[in-house]
Amino acid sequence: MVAYIDIHPDNPQQRLIAKAIDIVKDGGVIAYPTDSGYAIGCTIGNKHGIEKIQKIRKLSPSHHYTLICHDFAQFGQMVIVDNTSFRIIKKLTPGPYTFILKGTKEVPRIMLNPKKRTVGARIPDHRITQALVEELGEPLMSSTLIMPGQEMPEVNGWEIRDEVGYLLDAVIEGPVGGVEPTSVVDFTDDVPVVRRRGAGDVSMFE
């Protein structure tokens, strides 16, 4: 049965954060609130977890998964960022942006785009999300929880529990910071390209 964990949005209870991360470390998949709707995540390279996420969202093998990072120290370990990209990304984080970049050797092959060897990475501005990643001690492998046929992410934990809880190991209840998905900016070419317009302002790239 799926665990339903109600966490305080401003002062996340450490024992509940630890409970959720114990589930993740044990191979589980969780749904959790972010600054741009809900996401679903598991440990990096968790093949069973990726299969669950693919089943829930009906994703293609080329889908870009996202590494949810606690800070730039984690961010820089997972993706290759040149000086120009770093300055831009630094201005936009933490916030509702996902950046597509070349993955480092730290990123398992199963997470990378099979052709481009790229992966999504971001640093969210959300207390619960930050607390989870800090407790985990490494980035959380995630995907925005947008159900098949929908364009916007899920925003209520109890609805996720009722709809797809049987496919999850835990649902964390807590308010999202926004109802739009992240803006996705691709930095793999010389000029950044906006792949999805979402919650973050992308006017600087247009």
Side-chain angles (χ1 to χ4, degrees):
M1 184 176 180
V2 63
Y4 184 65
I5 307 171
D6 193 350
I7 296 180
H8 194 281
D10 298 319
N11 298 292
Q13 304 95 318
Q14 179 57 34
R15 63 181 179 81
L16 297 181
I17 292 293
K19 178 180 178 180
I21 292 305
D22 282 345
I23 292 171
V24 172
K25 288 180 176 179
D26 199 35
V29 176
I30 65 170
Y32 63 96
T34 77
D35 51 354
S36 54
Y38 263 79
I40 40 179
C42 61
T43 53
I44 295 172
N46 181 343
K47 186 174 184 294
H48 178 64
I50 289 176
E51 289 172 350
K52 274 193 174 183
I53 293 171
Q54 288 176 335
K55 183 175 182 179
I56 291 168
R57 290 205 53 199
K58 295 187 175 5
L59 298 173
S60 71
S62 62
H63 177 75
H64 271 110
Y65 292 96
T66 299
L67 294 162
I68 304 295
C69 301
H70 181 258
D71 51 29
F72 266 98
Q74 284 188 349
F75 194 93
Q77 290 175 354
M78 309 307 291
V79 291
I80 299 169
V81 189
D82 61 29
N83 290 336
T84 300
S85 299
F86 176 83
R87 285 193 293 270
I88 297 172
I89 293 170
K90 185 74 171 175
K91 289 180 181 178
L92 300 177
T93 54
Y97 296 88
T98 298
F99 306 102
I100 305 298
L101 295 150
K102 294 281 187 181
T104 68
K105 293 180 180 179
E106 299 296 320
V107 183
R109 183 177 299 179
I110 194 173
M111 283 192 63
L112 295 170
N113 180 286
K115 292 184 179 180
K116 297 183 177 181
R117 317 299 293 172
T118 50
V119 69
R122 80 183 196 94
I123 304 173
D125 185 14
H126 193 275
R127 286 183 183 272
I128 293 174
T129 312
Q130 283 285 342
L132 290 168
V133 180
E134 184 175 20
E135 178 70 17
L136 181 59
E138 64 180 33
L140 191 62
M141 198 219 75
S142 294
S143 179
T144 304
L145 185 44
I146 301 174
M147 298 302 294
Q150 302 298 315
E151 296 183 356
M152 303 298 282
E154 297 295 308
V155 295
N156 293 307
W158 62 269
E159 290 183 333
I160 296 168
R161 177 195 59 189
D162 292 349
E163 187 172 358
V164 292
Y166 67 98
L167 292 171
L168 296 165
D169 298 287
V171 175
I172 295 173
E173 183 63 72
V176 297
V179 298
E180 290 185 275
T182 58
S183 289
V184 179
V185 186
D186 190 335
F187 278 87
T188 54
D189 293 321
D190 293 336
V191 179
V193 176
V194 178
R195 299 297 182 190
R196 180 175 71 194
R197 289 173 175 79
D201 179 13
V202 293
S203 59
M204 70 169 65
F205 303 109
E206 298 173 329

